[in-house]
Amino acid sequence: MAIIFKPILSMPKQTWSAVKTVVGKLSQDELLGLVADLYRLSKPNQAFLHARYADAEAAMEDCKKIISDCLYPDMQRDRPLQVAKAKKAVADFCKAVAEPILHAELMVFFLEQGNAFTVEYGDIDAGFYDALLVMASGAVQAICGLPKEMQEAYGERLAEVVRSSSYIGWGYHDGLKQIYTAAFPDWN
């Protein structure tokens, strides 16, 4: 007896267009119900909605706490570095909040925390420094997008990160200095 395999019918691809068509027809009450359901579904959804619609400053402080815990963990309690979690916190916040000054603040804070940790505890590894350099590039881009009168304070904080990294290896200091001087040639 031969076994015959029937092809599995492929499911149609799920797209935003299909959802948008249905959501576009919902009443205001139905939309509020949907948002409430999404809010209750997960902590990340709650954080996103709070950052976007309620209190971006408070959401940024929550994000800074995550960054601090991840990039400057309590070594007495044997807490690990969690670079990916810190990067995700920044990325999620930047998706929720469209205020460049808050992006600059958060990215510079990320650099300050990671840099301070390595200054205190010594060299980490190339992946750690690569993450810091990527964030430095993002921070410079955010800072340069600010009005000129707001750039200087962030530029000074970034300059302090560059100065304090002078004895760190893995090409980190050189990379930071290159990013900084390319963005702010007149500030050197």
mmCIF file of all heavy atoms in Angstrom, residues 39-76:
data_model
loop_
_atom_site.group_PDB
_atom_site.id
_atom_site.type_symbol
_atom_site.label_atom_id
_atom_site.label_comp_id
_atom_site.label_asym_id
_atom_site.label_seq_id
_atom_site.Cartn_x
_atom_site.Cartn_y
_atom_site.Cartn_z
ATOM 1 N N TYR A 39 -2.578 46.618 25.352
ATOM 2 C CA TYR A 39 -1.932 47.124 26.565
ATOM 3 C C TYR A 39 -1.822 46.016 27.618
ATOM 4 O O TYR A 39 -0.769 45.821 28.218
ATOM 5 C CB TYR A 39 -2.749 48.301 27.124
ATOM 6 C CG TYR A 39 -2.149 48.935 28.350
ATOM 7 C CD1 TYR A 39 -1.214 49.949 28.231
ATOM 8 C CD2 TYR A 39 -2.533 48.532 29.621
ATOM 9 C CE1 TYR A 39 -0.665 50.551 29.355
ATOM 10 C CE2 TYR A 39 -1.992 49.125 30.756
ATOM 11 C CZ TYR A 39 -1.062 50.137 30.614
ATOM 12 O OH TYR A 39 -0.512 50.724 31.730
ATOM 13 N N ARG A 40 -2.910 45.283 27.818
ATOM 14 C CA ARG A 40 -2.916 44.212 28.823
ATOM 15 C C ARG A 40 -2.107 42.991 28.392
ATOM 16 O O ARG A 40 -1.717 42.172 29.218
ATOM 17 C CB ARG A 40 -4.351 43.792 29.122
ATOM 18 C CG ARG A 40 -5.124 44.800 29.940
ATOM 19 C CD ARG A 40 -6.483 44.253 30.367
ATOM 20 N NE ARG A 40 -7.414 44.144 29.258
ATOM 21 C CZ ARG A 40 -8.267 45.099 28.878
ATOM 22 N NH1 ARG A 40 -8.300 46.233 29.532
ATOM 23 N NH2 ARG A 40 -9.076 44.910 27.853
ATOM 24 N N LEU A 41 -1.853 42.879 27.105
ATOM 25 C CA LEU A 41 -1.187 41.691 26.565
ATOM 26 C C LEU A 41 0.256 41.531 27.029
ATOM 27 O O LEU A 41 0.709 40.423 27.293
ATOM 28 C CB LEU A 41 -1.238 41.724 25.035
ATOM 29 C CG LEU A 41 -0.721 40.499 24.299
ATOM 30 C CD1 LEU A 41 -1.588 39.287 24.612
ATOM 31 C CD2 LEU A 41 -0.722 40.768 22.800
ATOM 32 N N SER A 42 1.008 42.657 27.133
ATOM 33 C CA SER A 42 2.423 42.506 27.496
ATOM 34 C C SER A 42 3.009 43.780 28.082
ATOM 35 O O SER A 42 2.554 44.887 27.787
ATOM 36 C CB SER A 42 3.250 42.093 26.276
ATOM 37 O OG SER A 42 3.362 43.172 25.367
ATOM 38 N N LYS A 43 4.032 43.601 28.882
ATOM 39 C CA LYS A 43 4.769 44.734 29.460
ATOM 40 C C LYS A 43 5.403 45.600 28.369
ATOM 41 O O LYS A 43 5.366 46.826 28.477
ATOM 42 C CB LYS A 43 5.845 44.250 30.441
ATOM 43 C CG LYS A 43 5.303 43.628 31.695
ATOM 44 C CD LYS A 43 4.825 44.689 32.647
ATOM 45 C CE LYS A 43 4.412 44.046 33.965
ATOM 46 N NZ LYS A 43 3.631 44.968 34.770
ATOM 47 N N PRO A 44 6.009 45.018 27.320
ATOM 48 C CA PRO A 44 6.565 45.874 26.258
ATOM 49 C C PRO A 44 5.501 46.762 25.596
ATOM 50 O O PRO A 44 5.768 47.911 25.279
ATOM 51 C CB PRO A 44 7.175 44.885 25.261
ATOM 52 C CG PRO A 44 7.505 43.686 26.089
ATOM 53 C CD PRO A 44 6.408 43.613 27.119
ATOM 54 N N ASN A 45 4.292 46.217 25.394
ATOM 55 C CA ASN A 45 3.220 47.038 24.836
ATOM 56 C C ASN A 45 2.884 48.189 25.781
ATOM 57 O O ASN A 45 2.669 49.323 25.351
ATOM 58 C CB ASN A 45 1.960 46.210 24.587
ATOM 59 C CG ASN A 45 2.068 45.283 23.408
ATOM 60 O OD1 ASN A 45 3.074 45.265 22.708
ATOM 61 N ND2 ASN A 45 1.037 44.489 23.202
ATOM 62 N N GLN A 46 2.827 47.906 27.083
ATOM 63 C CA GLN A 46 2.543 48.944 28.065
ATOM 64 C C GLN A 46 3.613 50.026 28.020
ATOM 65 O O GLN A 46 3.303 51.225 28.019
ATOM 66 C CB GLN A 46 2.451 48.348 29.469
ATOM 67 C CG GLN A 46 1.237 47.486 29.680
ATOM 68 C CD GLN A 46 1.252 46.765 31.016
ATOM 69 O OE1 GLN A 46 2.038 47.079 31.902
ATOM 70 N NE2 GLN A 46 0.367 45.784 31.152
ATOM 71 N N ALA A 47 4.869 49.602 27.988
ATOM 72 C CA ALA A 47 5.970 50.569 27.956
ATOM 73 C C ALA A 47 5.894 51.437 26.697
ATOM 74 O O ALA A 47 6.089 52.652 26.764
ATOM 75 C CB ALA A 47 7.313 49.832 28.016
ATOM 76 N N PHE A 48 5.603 50.818 25.567
ATOM 77 C CA PHE A 48 5.485 51.560 24.309
ATOM 78 C C PHE A 48 4.373 52.598 24.389
ATOM 79 O O PHE A 48 4.559 53.763 24.040
ATOM 80 C CB PHE A 48 5.223 50.580 23.153
ATOM 81 C CG PHE A 48 5.061 51.262 21.816
ATOM 82 C CD1 PHE A 48 6.163 51.494 21.017
ATOM 83 C CD2 PHE A 48 3.816 51.664 21.355
ATOM 84 C CE1 PHE A 48 6.037 52.119 19.779
ATOM 85 C CE2 PHE A 48 3.664 52.292 20.128
ATOM 86 C CZ PHE A 48 4.783 52.519 19.338
ATOM 87 N N LEU A 49 3.203 52.182 24.846
ATOM 88 C CA LEU A 49 2.067 53.097 24.909
ATOM 89 C C LEU A 49 2.284 54.217 25.916
ATOM 90 O O LEU A 49 1.910 55.367 25.667
ATOM 91 C CB LEU A 49 0.781 52.322 25.209
ATOM 92 C CG LEU A 49 0.310 51.423 24.053
ATOM 93 C CD1 LEU A 49 -0.792 50.479 24.511
ATOM 94 C CD2 LEU A 49 -0.138 52.246 22.857
ATOM 95 N N HIS A 50 2.902 53.897 27.043
ATOM 96 C CA HIS A 50 3.213 54.949 28.021
ATOM 97 C C HIS A 50 4.197 55.957 27.420
ATOM 98 O O HIS A 50 4.022 57.171 27.575
ATOM 99 C CB HIS A 50 3.809 54.360 29.308
ATOM 100 C CG HIS A 50 2.784 53.817 30.239
ATOM 101 N ND1 HIS A 50 2.076 54.600 31.114
ATOM 102 C CD2 HIS A 50 2.335 52.557 30.423
ATOM 103 C CE1 HIS A 50 1.240 53.854 31.800
ATOM 104 N NE2 HIS A 50 1.369 52.602 31.397
ATOM 105 N N ALA A 51 5.226 55.458 26.765
ATOM 106 C CA ALA A 51 6.229 56.348 26.174
ATOM 107 C C ALA A 51 5.616 57.204 25.074
ATOM 108 O O ALA A 51 5.881 58.403 24.991
ATOM 109 C CB ALA A 51 7.396 55.532 25.620
ATOM 110 N N ARG A 52 4.809 56.618 24.239
ATOM 111 C CA ARG A 52 4.239 57.327 23.092
ATOM 112 C C ARG A 52 3.159 58.330 23.515
ATOM 113 O O ARG A 52 3.104 59.434 23.007
ATOM 114 C CB ARG A 52 3.665 56.307 22.114
ATOM 115 C CG ARG A 52 2.820 56.828 20.971
ATOM 116 C CD ARG A 52 3.537 57.447 19.771
ATOM 117 N NE ARG A 52 4.545 56.673 19.122
ATOM 118 C CZ ARG A 52 4.379 55.914 18.037
ATOM 119 N NH1 ARG A 52 3.191 55.787 17.483
ATOM 120 N NH2 ARG A 52 5.403 55.284 17.504
ATOM 121 N N TYR A 53 2.284 57.918 24.455
ATOM 122 C CA TYR A 53 1.098 58.729 24.712
ATOM 123 C C TYR A 53 0.977 59.313 26.120
ATOM 124 O O TYR A 53 0.196 60.238 26.317
ATOM 125 C CB TYR A 53 -0.168 57.914 24.421
ATOM 126 C CG TYR A 53 -0.256 57.490 22.986
ATOM 127 C CD1 TYR A 53 -0.133 56.166 22.619
ATOM 128 C CD2 TYR A 53 -0.447 58.439 21.988
ATOM 129 C CE1 TYR A 53 -0.212 55.781 21.286
ATOM 130 C CE2 TYR A 53 -0.524 58.068 20.656
ATOM 131 C CZ TYR A 53 -0.408 56.736 20.313
ATOM 132 O OH TYR A 53 -0.476 56.364 19.001
ATOM 133 N N ALA A 54 1.692 58.788 27.082
ATOM 134 C CA ALA A 54 1.465 59.235 28.458
ATOM 135 C C ALA A 54 2.580 60.146 28.952
ATOM 136 O O ALA A 54 2.393 61.339 29.106
ATOM 137 C CB ALA A 54 1.277 58.038 29.388
ATOM 138 N N ASP A 55 3.768 59.583 29.166
ATOM 139 C CA ASP A 55 4.833 60.367 29.790
ATOM 140 C C ASP A 55 6.193 59.893 29.269
ATOM 141 O O ASP A 55 6.793 58.975 29.827
ATOM 142 C CB ASP A 55 4.755 60.213 31.312
ATOM 143 C CG ASP A 55 5.672 61.146 32.062
ATOM 144 O OD1 ASP A 55 6.540 61.794 31.439
ATOM 145 O OD2 ASP A 55 5.529 61.235 33.298
ATOM 146 N N ALA A 56 6.663 60.528 28.214
ATOM 147 C CA ALA A 56 7.929 60.128 27.590
ATOM 148 C C ALA A 56 9.104 60.293 28.552
ATOM 149 O O ALA A 56 10.024 59.474 28.553
ATOM 150 C CB ALA A 56 8.170 60.924 26.315
ATOM 151 N N GLU A 57 9.079 61.339 29.375
ATOM 152 C CA GLU A 57 10.173 61.570 30.335
ATOM 153 C C GLU A 57 10.261 60.423 31.345
ATOM 154 O O GLU A 57 11.348 59.934 31.640
ATOM 155 C CB GLU A 57 9.990 62.907 31.055
ATOM 156 C CG GLU A 57 10.082 64.112 30.151
ATOM 157 C CD GLU A 57 11.503 64.523 29.815
ATOM 158 O OE1 GLU A 57 12.433 64.135 30.526
ATOM 159 O OE2 GLU A 57 11.667 65.250 28.812
ATOM 160 N N ALA A 58 9.122 60.004 31.884
ATOM 161 C CA ALA A 58 9.115 58.893 32.842
ATOM 162 C C ALA A 58 9.552 57.598 32.154
ATOM 163 O O ALA A 58 10.301 56.803 32.732
ATOM 164 C CB ALA A 58 7.732 58.727 33.459
ATOM 165 N N ALA A 59 9.101 57.400 30.931
ATOM 166 C CA ALA A 59 9.502 56.211 30.177
ATOM 167 C C ALA A 59 11.011 56.220 29.932
ATOM 168 O O ALA A 59 11.668 55.169 29.992
ATOM 169 C CB ALA A 59 8.751 56.136 28.854
ATOM 170 N N MET A 60 11.567 57.409 29.668
ATOM 171 C CA MET A 60 13.009 57.501 29.467
ATOM 172 C C MET A 60 13.759 57.148 30.758
ATOM 173 O O MET A 60 14.778 56.465 30.716
ATOM 174 C CB MET A 60 13.419 58.888 28.994
ATOM 175 C CG MET A 60 14.916 58.958 28.675
ATOM 176 S SD MET A 60 15.451 60.538 28.041
ATOM 177 C CE MET A 60 15.163 61.569 29.443
ATOM 178 N N GLU A 61 13.251 57.578 31.893
ATOM 179 C CA GLU A 61 13.889 57.236 33.163
ATOM 180 C C GLU A 61 13.853 55.732 33.406
ATOM 181 O O GLU A 61 14.828 55.151 33.887
ATOM 182 C CB GLU A 61 13.254 58.009 34.325
ATOM 183 C CG GLU A 61 13.529 59.496 34.277
ATOM 184 C CD GLU A 61 15.011 59.857 34.161
ATOM 185 O OE1 GLU A 61 15.843 59.269 34.889
ATOM 186 O OE2 GLU A 61 15.345 60.731 33.331
ATOM 187 N N ASP A 62 12.745 55.089 33.059
ATOM 188 C CA ASP A 62 12.656 53.623 33.166
ATOM 189 C C ASP A 62 13.690 52.969 32.252
ATOM 190 O O ASP A 62 14.347 51.993 32.628
ATOM 191 C CB ASP A 62 11.254 53.127 32.792
ATOM 192 C CG ASP A 62 10.190 53.542 33.792
ATOM 193 O OD1 ASP A 62 10.530 53.928 34.926
ATOM 194 O OD2 ASP A 62 8.999 53.480 33.420
ATOM 195 N N CYS A 63 13.833 53.511 31.062
ATOM 196 C CA CYS A 63 14.795 52.987 30.099
ATOM 197 C C CYS A 63 16.226 53.176 30.610
ATOM 198 O O CYS A 63 17.063 52.279 30.485
ATOM 199 C CB CYS A 63 14.583 53.679 28.760
ATOM 200 S SG CYS A 63 15.446 52.915 27.399
ATOM 201 N N LYS A 64 16.495 54.322 31.207
ATOM 202 C CA LYS A 64 17.829 54.568 31.779
ATOM 203 C C LYS A 64 18.143 53.566 32.883
ATOM 204 O O LYS A 64 19.288 53.124 33.008
ATOM 205 C CB LYS A 64 17.925 55.991 32.319
ATOM 206 C CG LYS A 64 18.133 57.043 31.269
ATOM 207 C CD LYS A 64 18.294 58.400 31.921
ATOM 208 C CE LYS A 64 18.803 59.438 30.972
ATOM 209 N NZ LYS A 64 19.030 60.737 31.636
ATOM 210 N N LYS A 65 17.138 53.197 33.664
ATOM 211 C CA LYS A 65 17.352 52.204 34.723
ATOM 212 C C LYS A 65 17.744 50.865 34.103
ATOM 213 O O LYS A 65 18.665 50.190 34.581
ATOM 214 C CB LYS A 65 16.068 52.074 35.552
ATOM 215 C CG LYS A 65 16.078 50.966 36.565
ATOM 216 C CD LYS A 65 16.710 51.373 37.857
ATOM 217 C CE LYS A 65 16.531 50.341 38.940
ATOM 218 N NZ LYS A 65 17.603 49.409 39.076
ATOM 219 N N ILE A 66 17.072 50.486 33.037
ATOM 220 C CA ILE A 66 17.411 49.233 32.347
ATOM 221 C C ILE A 66 18.842 49.312 31.817
ATOM 222 O O ILE A 66 19.638 48.378 31.999
ATOM 223 C CB ILE A 66 16.420 48.952 31.201
ATOM 224 C CG1 ILE A 66 15.039 48.640 31.761
ATOM 225 C CG2 ILE A 66 16.915 47.808 30.308
ATOM 226 C CD1 ILE A 66 13.930 48.641 30.720
ATOM 227 N N ILE A 67 19.185 50.411 31.174
ATOM 228 C CA ILE A 67 20.531 50.581 30.615
ATOM 229 C C ILE A 67 21.580 50.504 31.717
ATOM 230 O O ILE A 67 22.591 49.814 31.584
ATOM 231 C CB ILE A 67 20.635 51.913 29.844
ATOM 232 C CG1 ILE A 67 19.774 51.866 28.583
ATOM 233 C CG2 ILE A 67 22.087 52.236 29.499
ATOM 234 C CD1 ILE A 67 19.542 53.217 27.935
ATOM 235 N N SER A 68 21.336 51.196 32.792
ATOM 236 C CA SER A 68 22.279 51.193 33.910
ATOM 237 C C SER A 68 22.463 49.787 34.470
ATOM 238 O O SER A 68 23.589 49.340 34.702
ATOM 239 C CB SER A 68 21.773 52.146 35.000
ATOM 240 O OG SER A 68 22.673 52.193 36.070
ATOM 241 N N ASP A 69 21.355 49.089 34.681
ATOM 242 C CA ASP A 69 21.429 47.721 35.214
ATOM 243 C C ASP A 69 22.153 46.781 34.250
ATOM 244 O O ASP A 69 22.822 45.843 34.682
ATOM 245 C CB ASP A 69 20.032 47.170 35.491
ATOM 246 C CG ASP A 69 19.341 47.839 36.673
ATOM 247 O OD1 ASP A 69 20.021 48.547 37.453
ATOM 248 O OD2 ASP A 69 18.113 47.656 36.798
ATOM 249 N N CYS A 70 22.011 47.028 32.955
ATOM 250 C CA CYS A 70 22.590 46.138 31.945
ATOM 251 C C CYS A 70 24.052 46.450 31.630
ATOM 252 O O CYS A 70 24.843 45.541 31.394
ATOM 253 C CB CYS A 70 21.779 46.212 30.656
ATOM 254 S SG CYS A 70 20.143 45.500 30.783
ATOM 255 N N LEU A 71 24.411 47.735 31.594
ATOM 256 C CA LEU A 71 25.761 48.128 31.175
ATOM 257 C C LEU A 71 26.689 48.461 32.335
ATOM 258 O O LEU A 71 27.902 48.570 32.142
ATOM 259 C CB LEU A 71 25.704 49.323 30.218
ATOM 260 C CG LEU A 71 25.054 49.050 28.877
ATOM 261 C CD1 LEU A 71 25.115 50.289 28.002
ATOM 262 C CD2 LEU A 71 25.714 47.875 28.172
ATOM 263 N N TYR A 72 26.132 48.652 33.498
ATOM 264 C CA TYR A 72 26.947 48.903 34.693
ATOM 265 C C TYR A 72 26.335 48.091 35.828
ATOM 266 O O TYR A 72 25.848 48.629 36.816
ATOM 267 C CB TYR A 72 26.972 50.395 35.032
ATOM 268 C CG TYR A 72 28.187 50.809 35.817
ATOM 269 C CD1 TYR A 72 29.125 51.663 35.282
ATOM 270 C CD2 TYR A 72 28.401 50.334 37.105
ATOM 271 C CE1 TYR A 72 30.241 52.052 35.994
ATOM 272 C CE2 TYR A 72 29.518 50.704 37.833
ATOM 273 C CZ TYR A 72 30.422 51.573 37.268
ATOM 274 O OH TYR A 72 31.529 51.937 37.995
ATOM 275 N N PRO A 73 26.343 46.751 35.656
ATOM 276 C CA PRO A 73 25.666 45.881 36.622
ATOM 277 C C PRO A 73 26.387 45.851 37.970
ATOM 278 O O PRO A 73 27.567 46.172 38.072
ATOM 279 C CB PRO A 73 25.705 44.507 35.949
ATOM 280 C CG PRO A 73 26.897 44.564 35.062
ATOM 281 C CD PRO A 73 27.000 45.996 34.595
ATOM 282 N N ASP A 74 25.647 45.454 38.975
ATOM 283 C CA ASP A 74 26.181 45.327 40.333
ATOM 284 C C ASP A 74 27.087 44.093 40.387
ATOM 285 O O ASP A 74 26.608 42.964 40.442
ATOM 286 C CB ASP A 74 25.028 45.199 41.325
ATOM 287 C CG ASP A 74 25.475 45.183 42.767
ATOM 288 O OD1 ASP A 74 26.693 45.009 43.038
ATOM 289 O OD2 ASP A 74 24.605 45.346 43.645
ATOM 290 N N MET A 75 28.383 44.332 40.365
ATOM 291 C CA MET A 75 29.344 43.226 40.363
ATOM 292 C C MET A 75 29.381 42.504 41.716
ATOM 293 O O MET A 75 29.735 41.334 41.779
ATOM 294 C CB MET A 75 30.739 43.733 39.987
ATOM 295 C CG MET A 75 30.804 44.343 38.590
ATOM 296 S SD MET A 75 30.255 43.218 37.297
ATOM 297 C CE MET A 75 31.632 42.095 37.243
ATOM 298 N N GLN A 76 29.004 43.186 42.779
ATOM 299 C CA GLN A 76 28.953 42.559 44.105
ATOM 300 C C GLN A 76 27.910 41.449 44.131
ATOM 301 O O GLN A 76 28.045 40.482 44.865
ATOM 302 C CB GLN A 76 28.606 43.615 45.158
ATOM 303 C CG GLN A 76 29.533 44.804 45.180
ATOM 304 C CD GLN A 76 30.713 44.596 46.097
ATOM 305 O OE1 GLN A 76 30.629 43.854 47.043
ATOM 306 N NE2 GLN A 76 31.818 45.250 45.785
#
